[in-house]
Amino acid sequence: MAVRNARPSLYISVDIEADGPIPGPYSMISFGAAVAGRQEGDAYTAADPQRRTFYRELRPISDAFVPEALAVSGLDRDRLVREGADPAAAMAEFRAWVRKVSVDAQPVMCGYPASFDWTFLYWYLMRFGGDSPFGHSGCLDMKTLYATKARVPLRAAVKGRMPRELLSRRRHTHHALDDAIEQAELMSNLMLWRP
C-alpha cells in the first residue's frame, strides 16, 4: 500500500469571547484569528501573527447572557444587538478567509485552551452555513501540546508555570484579536521548542 503524503498544516490561532458558557443558549460575541505558522513534515515555520488576521464582533443570537461572562470582553451588548455582524455573514466571511490563507495547506485551528473556543467556533460554523474549513476535528489544543512536550500533567500546564521563552510578550487583553495574536506567538514558540 502506498504511503499517502500529508498536506502541509497551516495553524490558525483563534480566540473567541462569549456571553455565556455554551453556544446556542448563549452567544459568541466576538472572535479573532491570526495565522501562527506552517508545518511541512517535521519543519515548522512561524508566521508574523499580525500579518494575516480576521476579526468580527457579532450580533447576539439570543436574549440570554451571563453578566460576568459578558463583562470579561468589555463589549457593550446593546451596541452588538444594533451593530454586530450577522452571524451567517460573519461565518461566510471567515470560511472564505480561512480558505484563502490556507490555499495549499490543511487549516488547523489552535487555541489555549482550544476546548472552549473550538466549541463555539465549530457550532457557529455548522449552525450558520453547515460547513467548517477545519473539518470536524481540525483543532489543536496548545495546553495539551505543552503538557505533552513538558511531560507534565494537563492541570499543571498553565502559562504561569511555562518557561518565559515560550510566552508572548503581549498582554492578554480579552480582545479576541489581541488574544489570537498573543496565542499565535505561543503556538509558534511551542512548535519550535525542544525541552
Side-chain angles (χ1 to χ4, degrees), residues 8-82:
S9 293
L10 187 79
Y11 294 97
I12 300 173
S13 170
V14 176
D15 184 78
I16 73 103
E17 298 298 328
D19 64 9
I22 58 171
Y26 302 101
S27 304
M28 179 167 69
I29 54 175
S30 69
F31 71 110
V35 172
R38 180 184 176 100
Q39 183 178 18
E40 290 194 56
D42 63 356
Y44 180 85
T45 305
D48 174 354
Q50 294 183 67
R51 198 171 131 246
R52 293 182 289 174
T53 63
F54 185 93
Y55 177 73
R56 291 293 180 276
E57 293 179 358
L58 303 175
R59 186 173 55 241
I61 61 171
S62 77
D63 293 333
F65 68 95
V66 177
E68 297 82 6
L70 180 62
V72 170
S73 70
L75 293 172
D76 181 309
R77 194 165 201 283
D78 292 334
R79 182 184 65 77
L80 293 174
V81 168
R82 291 188 315 274

Side-chain angles (χ1 to χ4, degrees), residues 128-148:
F128 299 104
D131 177 44
S132 168
F134 305 103
H136 69 278
S137 63
C139 69
L140 185 139
D141 178 39
M142 289 182 241
K143 189 176 177 83
T144 303
L145 179 61
Y146 172 73
T148 302

Side-chain angles (χ1 to χ4, degrees), residues 86-107:
D86 171 69
M91 293 298 105
E93 291 167 355
F94 181 62
R95 275 187 211 89
W97 178 84
V98 170
R99 289 185 172 116
K100 179 181 175 184
V101 299
S102 64
V103 69
D104 63 343
Q106 178 64 44

Side-chain angles (χ1 to χ4, degrees), residues 174-194:
H174 292 289
H175 180 284
L177 182 56
D178 290 349
D179 293 353
I181 292 169
E182 174 213 0
Q183 291 171 177
E185 290 181 349
L186 173 62
M187 177 64 184
S188 289
N189 292 344
L190 283 167
M191 289 296 284
L192 296 168
W193 185 46
R194 300 288 180 255

